[in-house]
Amino acid sequence: MEGADDPGRLDVRAAAIIRAGLDRVLVSDAFRAAPQLSAFLSFVVERTVEGRAAELKGYTIAVEGLGRSADFNPQLDPIVRVEAGRLRRALAQYYAGDGRGDPVQISMPVGGYVPVFTWFGGEGSRPPPEGADEAQEPDRRAARRWAGLTLAALALGLLALGWWYLAPLRGTGPAEIGKPAAGEQVTAAAREQAAMPLLVRVAIITPDPPSDPQLAAVLRRFSALLVDAMARFDDLVTIRTPLPGSALEDDVDYAIEIDAQGLDSGAVGLARLRSVRDGRIVWTTSSTRSSLATLQESDLADMARRLATRLIEPFGIIPADARQSVASPAMRCILKAFDARRAMLPELHQAARLCLAELVEQDPGFYPGWAHLAIMTLGEHGGAVTPQGDIPPANAARSPLDRSLAAALTAIRLAPSGARAYQAMMKVLLLRGATEEAVQMGREAQARNPYDPEIMADVGALYVRLGRPLEGLPLLERAISLSVARPSRYDFYAFLGAYLVGAGKVSETHAAVLAADDSHLSLLGQALKAAADNDPERQSKAIAQLVEKAPFFGQDARAFLQRRGFAAPVIDRILGALGLNKP
């Protein structure tokens, strides 16, 4: 029975409505393709309905809800935080589409794992005719109690987030940073709903499901793994999974059509990327397995992750095609940011930063805009670009590092599951001198999206700059193998890492790539290679070109490298090799 002093238990009628709402969510296409999200949501809703919301801690959810072993350590494994972020985004997507008319909506505020139930008085929430008046007042009391608990959990979560990130850097206490601005009261779910239409929309479909039950099961599992991998690139795409045979929604940009055909005891898998707008076949691929009997879950997962990365990594097939055909202003800004980082040209950097600043001004809830703006603003600190009077007066007095930190914090607050937000924070913290915190943010970014070469390369470059090349080189080599149209900086940091550990053959491979590029990092790599080859003429030429592109290097080479996050021992090694290590 529900007691007057027990805010946890809901009455039978409310519990039935919530369970019916949960069932509607679980049969939607997004949740059918994500069994782990379904398990997470079912567990937290049932515990809450049963009056056991106080048990919803990271350890309990991981072990009892997600099947982790009893020795699970939430401090070492971020799976619950990552999945909670994905769950919030999936719920926002569902209620923005199929669930728009549901009589009860389920959400999970940032900062905790207790779900909140919002009632809309639809058909499903009508009380029984008899005893209606008596039932309404307890329901109102229960709703008020739930709202109070939810607001308290949300406030504590935001307070903890601000303290965690700002206290190591500024030495301030929670009371100084815990008050959100008035414009920050909008829920994360509402922001996510507003942001989703701005991204590239990709539908994953199976036009002709196999008649063979075993092959059909394999294809369903592969589709689910592909959805999971692609959804992690949440600053680039929104994933749709329509039911077999149903028509695509009008706003879909691309369809990934997957199929499997039996071949003796094995199978041939086929995938085709189609532009929905104009019907173009953008790309196709196939894969053959000689035996389904030997096909393991790990094999399917590896194939799905490789396909997802090939298609949607920042310099992959879909972004490359979207640069020519997708009209979304938000996507144009994001792709400009990636292109500016690849080319390392001041004019592209300036254009991308200005585009992003206008974007977040128009849509303050768009997390990818804030994450990329944080990264682009760091260029002012490193000297990659000089502001041209386009910074609002209110921000003009703040340093680039302060503005980058504010943007990165906003991105994390808007999307705690967003890998790009943590990548941005990693880069900001490195340049602020908080190296261990930067390493932790890099790990958080990788946990949220372990398939993104851009994140792999940035984390690898972080280790190299800190003088830990043995930790950075594997990440850089992996990123290079996954990104065909990669930026030259991947090869620069791989070259530098190999150079620092004396791996001559490895450094030769990457030096050949740098020789064909004239960005400032490539020119620095060319100078180091020439010094290693004892070729002073080539070394002098590379340095002269570098000084022409980056005059600050000629003025103070040490400060130039310091502003890019290089540790003192690495700077000494570089400048010593170039004969520039002045006392």
Side-chain angles (χ1 to χ4, degrees):
M1 293 179 63
E2 180 187 18
D5 296 326
D6 178 9
R9 295 291 296 271
L10 296 179
D11 63 20
V12 174
R13 172 179 153 280
I17 295 171
I18 289 170
R19 288 189 172 110
L22 172 64
D23 290 341
R24 281 189 290 271
V25 175
L26 296 180
V27 299
S28 66
D29 53 2
F31 280 82
R32 282 188 294 102
Q36 185 150 281
L37 287 187
S38 297
F40 194 134
L41 180 61
S42 298
F43 181 78
V44 297
V45 168
E46 285 299 328
R47 284 294 168 98
T48 303
V49 168
E50 293 167 3
R52 302 167 63 186
E55 300 175 9
L56 294 177
K57 310 297 183 184
Y59 177 84
T60 306
I61 294 171
V63 175
E64 299 184 31
L66 302 180
R68 290 296 195 269
S69 61
D71 61 356
F72 173 81
N73 186 340
Q75 301 301 318
L76 300 178
D77 187 343
I79 182 64
V80 178
R81 296 197 305 275
V82 172
E83 292 301 311
R86 294 181 59 224
L87 178 58
R88 293 182 185 105
R89 297 182 70 81
L91 286 170
Q93 183 173 357
Y94 169 73
Y95 289 118
D98 295 343
R100 187 179 293 110
D102 284 10
V104 60
Q105 290 192 4
I106 305 169
S107 61
M108 190 167 67
V110 175
Y113 305 121
V114 177
V116 172
F117 312 111
T118 304
W119 311 87
F120 289 94
E123 182 68 27
S125 63
R126 291 179 184 171
E130 295 183 4
D133 293 340
E134 291 81 357
Q136 287 175 1
E137 185 57 31
D139 284 351
R140 291 191 189 101
R141 289 200 303 268
R144 285 196 295 269
R145 289 194 295 267
W146 279 110
L149 289 173
T150 299
L151 288 173
L154 180 58
L156 287 173
L158 290 174
L159 187 65
L161 182 66
W163 171 249
W164 183 26
Y165 288 116
L166 288 179
L169 303 177
R170 303 177 64 172
T172 55
E176 296 174 80
I177 58 177
K179 293 183 180 179
E184 296 174 357
Q185 301 299 322
V186 183
T187 65
R191 288 192 178 100
E192 288 167 346
Q193 289 180 18
M196 284 177 185
L198 300 172
L199 302 175
V200 174
R201 288 143 322 241
V202 179
I204 299 175
I205 60 176
T206 306
D208 300 303
S211 57
D212 179 82
Q214 182 184 12
L215 196 56
V218 169
L219 193 58
R220 283 195 302 271
R221 183 58 184 151
F222 177 81
S223 299
L225 292 167
L226 182 61
V227 169
D228 176 81
M230 293 192 69
R232 294 172 187 263
F233 293 85
D234 60 355
D235 65 325
L236 290 167
V237 293
T238 299
I239 303 300
R240 307 284 176 82
T241 55
L243 292 170
S246 61
L248 289 177
E249 297 177 29
D250 293 338
D251 62 350
V252 169
D253 298 304
Y254 295 95
I256 301 173
E257 300 168 342
I258 56 176
D259 190 14
Q261 301 174 2
L263 181 65
D264 298 328
S265 59
V268 176
L270 307 169
R272 181 172 70 173
L273 177 67
R274 176 169 57 87
S275 170
V276 176
R277 304 261 177 214
D278 54 21
R280 288 179 299 112
I281 303 301
V282 179
W283 182 78
T284 62
T285 188
S286 63
S287 177
T288 303
R289 298 288 300 192
S290 59
S291 173
L292 288 180
T294 61
L295 188 64
Q296 304 293 319
E297 171 82 3
S298 58
D299 299 325
L300 283 176
D302 184 64
M303 288 188 288
R305 291 163 186 168
R306 285 183 174 275
L307 178 58
T309 302
R310 184 77 183 274
L311 287 171
I312 201 54
E313 63 105 348
F315 306 102
I317 294 167
I318 290 177
D321 192 75
R323 284 172 169 85
Q324 311 299 322
S325 58
V326 172
S328 163
M331 282 309 303
R332 285 201 297 268
C333 284
I334 291 171
L335 295 175
K336 279 182 180 180
F338 282 121
D339 290 342
R341 294 187 67 206
R342 173 166 55 182
M344 291 184 279
L345 295 175
E347 58 272 22
L348 295 183
H349 191 288
Q350 181 81 2
R353 190 184 58 75
L354 180 58
C355 185
L356 291 165
E358 293 175 346
L359 175 62
V360 298
E361 183 178 2
Q362 295 167 4
D363 188 351
F366 188 53
Y367 120 76
W370 288 107
H372 288 282
L373 180 61
I375 295 173
M376 289 289 100
T377 303
L378 289 176
E380 297 172 32
H381 173 76
V385 65
T386 301
Q388 302 295 321
D390 55 2
I391 298 175
N395 289 331
R398 303 171 66 193
S399 72
L401 287 183
D402 284 345
R403 284 185 277 118
S404 290
L405 177 62
L409 279 169
T410 301
I412 289 177
R413 176 174 52 78
L414 290 171
S417 64
R420 200 71 65 202
Y422 286 87
Q423 179 190 11
M425 182 61 79
M426 174 195 74
K427 297 171 76 67
V428 172
L429 293 176
L430 174 66
L431 298 192
R432 293 181 71 97
T435 55
E436 288 307 312
E437 291 88 346
V439 169
Q440 180 59 37
M441 290 300 99
R443 291 172 181 159
E444 293 283 352
Q446 286 185 283
R448 284 158 174 77
N449 189 351
Y451 319 127
D452 187 348
E454 182 75 357
I455 291 175
M456 291 179 208
D458 263 6
V459 177
L462 168 75
Y463 284 122
V464 170
R465 283 180 284 179
L466 294 179
R468 297 159 61 175
L470 292 177
E471 295 172 79
L473 273 171
L475 291 170
L476 287 158
E477 294 291 353
R478 175 73 172 159
I480 287 169
S481 71
L482 291 173
S483 184
V484 176
R486 64 186 181 272
S488 61
R489 59 187 159 84
Y490 292 18
D491 288 277
F492 168 76
Y493 286 110
F495 164 80
L496 181 59
Y499 177 87
L500 292 174
V501 300
K505 288 186 178 180
V506 176
S507 65
E508 288 280 349
T509 301
H510 300 297
V513 175
L514 300 180
D517 186 69
D518 64 351
S519 66
H520 62 267
L521 288 180
S522 293
L523 292 169
L524 179 59
Q526 291 173 31
L528 285 171
K529 180 65 171 64
D533 294 342
N534 197 24
D535 188 339
E537 182 179 351
R538 187 157 51 93
Q539 177 185 334
S540 297
K541 181 180 177 181
I543 291 177
Q545 289 178 288
L546 175 56
V547 170
E548 182 180 355
K549 281 188 170 290
F552 186 44
F553 183 85
Q555 299 165 15
D556 192 336
R558 178 173 294 275
F560 176 88
L561 295 173
Q562 286 174 337
R563 289 192 178 188
R564 283 159 179 76
F566 288 85
V570 178
I571 295 175
D572 289 340
R573 183 82 178 270
I574 292 172
L575 298 184
L578 298 178
L580 301 174
N581 200 359
K582 300 175 184 179

